[in-house]
Amino acid sequence: MHVDNKYWYFKSVLSPDQCRNIIDSGLNKIEESKKNGIDTTASTYGDTQKKEGDEKIALNDKTLEEVSKEKNFKRTEVENKTYIRDSEVSWLNEKWLYDLILPYLHSANKNAGWKYDIENSEAFQFTVYRPGGFYGWHMDGNSCHNSVYKRFVPGITPEKENGDPAPGYTSIEDSIGKVRKLSMTINLNSPNDYEGGNLNFDFGPHNAGTRYHECVEIRPQGSIIVFPSYTHHQVTPVTRGIRYSLVLWSLGKPFR
């Protein structure tokens, strides 16, 4: 799908105090989850995240094809021998957070010229990237009818080991039959706090000279970026310090 604006951003619009409040809320949720025996490791569609004691290879910022050539693996071997994500997450759904953040999403949707029909948003995902942490190339959603959230029925539809809905299923009534249309990422800490951890886009091979883009625009603390959820993107490995981010996916009926 061609769009004139592939992303829209707001530079340093959240104050350091607001960012600190979000970080504290996210870290408290992580600690609370751990005390209750809940795994806080970030998961992925297809269960390709790093696991405790995992001997797989970190995909880092490389493609499967690049690792295949480097390691002399077959394509099917690469998928089984690598992991695409290494981070820790918690989920936030406090009203004050939606009141603070959603106006930026709606403004981007309008000003970028997308004007997608957005009906609701998922919970915020607070993410911690420690040294070595990363998220390889992926999309947040395909945005077509094949990717709609399906109703989760305990004991009948697929579920994770902890009983939560498997990827693609939801128990939230407002999300059933909808897809992710817009994604938002917020940089919560100062760029002086860490190195690496860059958000990169892949706009596809037909964007001659501009296929890959490093989003230096949102390095400053409190910066927000919004982009269509079908956009390929990655977070490169953090090489020093810790990066904190907040992610939100907004939903609507599939494109027609």
Side-chain angles (χ1 to χ4, degrees):
M1 183 182 295
H2 174 78
V3 291
D4 289 337
N5 291 295
K6 295 179 173 62
Y7 63 92
W8 197 266
Y9 72 96
F10 307 88
K11 188 174 181 179
S12 302
V13 289
L14 300 187
S15 70
D17 285 344
Q18 289 172 322
C19 291
R20 186 70 249 175
N21 286 340
I22 296 171
I23 292 171
D24 289 343
S25 295
L27 291 176
N28 287 339
K29 283 286 180 70
I30 286 177
E31 290 306 311
E32 181 182 329
S33 295
K34 287 180 176 179
K35 288 179 182 178
N36 292 326
I38 299 172
D39 186 7
T40 57
T41 302
S43 61
T44 66
Y45 194 91
D47 201 28
T48 56
Q49 69 276 4
K50 183 178 182 180
K51 299 176 183 177
E52 188 173 351
D54 205 336
E55 296 182 357
K56 291 183 178 181
I57 300 167
L59 197 59
N60 290 331
D61 56 351
K62 297 182 174 65
T63 64
L64 290 173
E65 288 74 16
E66 288 172 334
V67 174
S68 178
K69 290 179 181 178
E70 287 180 5
K71 303 294 182 181
N72 197 26
F73 290 151
K74 295 179 180 178
R75 172 61 186 254
T76 52
E77 289 181 320
V78 174
E79 293 176 350
N80 293 327
K81 292 177 181 289
T82 60
Y83 59 88
I84 194 173
R85 190 177 191 184
D86 182 2
S87 58
E88 195 171 18
V89 300
S90 62
W91 302 92
L92 307 175
N93 57 9
E94 288 82 355
K95 183 179 181 301
W96 68 267
L97 199 49
Y98 289 100
D99 291 342
L100 175 65
I101 301 302
L102 282 181
Y104 294 105
L105 181 129
H106 294 307
S107 176
N109 190 27
K110 176 183 177 181
N111 293 333
W114 304 319
K115 298 185 179 180
Y116 295 160
D117 291 328
I118 299 298
E119 298 184 30
N120 62 299
S121 299
E122 298 185 45
F124 288 91
Q125 180 183 262
F126 170 77
T127 307
V128 181
Y129 293 98
R130 294 186 172 83
F134 73 101
Y135 198 163
W137 288 112
H138 67 286
M139 295 185 298
D140 292 336
N142 290 328
S143 302
C144 70
H145 287 264
N146 292 329
S147 303
V148 299
Y149 274 115
K150 305 173 189 67
R151 186 184 303 277
F152 174 66
V153 182
I156 298 178
T157 53
E159 59 185 46
K160 299 178 182 178
E161 291 182 1
N162 63 3
D164 288 343
Y169 291 84
T170 182
S171 56
I172 300 173
E173 194 69 27
D174 286 345
S175 297
I176 296 170
K178 297 174 186 174
V179 296
R180 291 175 174 175
K181 284 191 167 180
L182 289 177
S183 298
M184 168 186 278
T185 296
I186 304 171
N187 229 21
L188 293 174
N189 52 327
S190 167
N192 297 324
D193 295 342
Y194 64 97
E195 293 176 0
N198 297 306
L199 174 66
N200 291 341
F201 288 133
D202 178 356
F203 297 129
H206 298 294
N207 284 272
T210 59
R211 174 171 182 175
Y212 298 104
H213 177 71
E214 182 178 276
C215 297
V216 295
E217 303 96 324
I218 65 158
R219 287 289 287 193
Q221 184 180 30
S223 297
I224 298 173
I225 190 166
V226 182
F227 54 93
S229 297
Y230 53 75
T231 307
H232 281 87
H233 57 288
Q234 66 168 194
V235 176
T236 62
V238 170
T239 57
R240 178 190 65 82
I242 299 176
R243 177 189 184 232
Y244 299 111
S245 68
L246 193 70
V247 174
L248 181 69
W249 304 285
S250 293
L251 314 176
K253 293 183 175 63
F255 292 109
R256 299 180 64 183

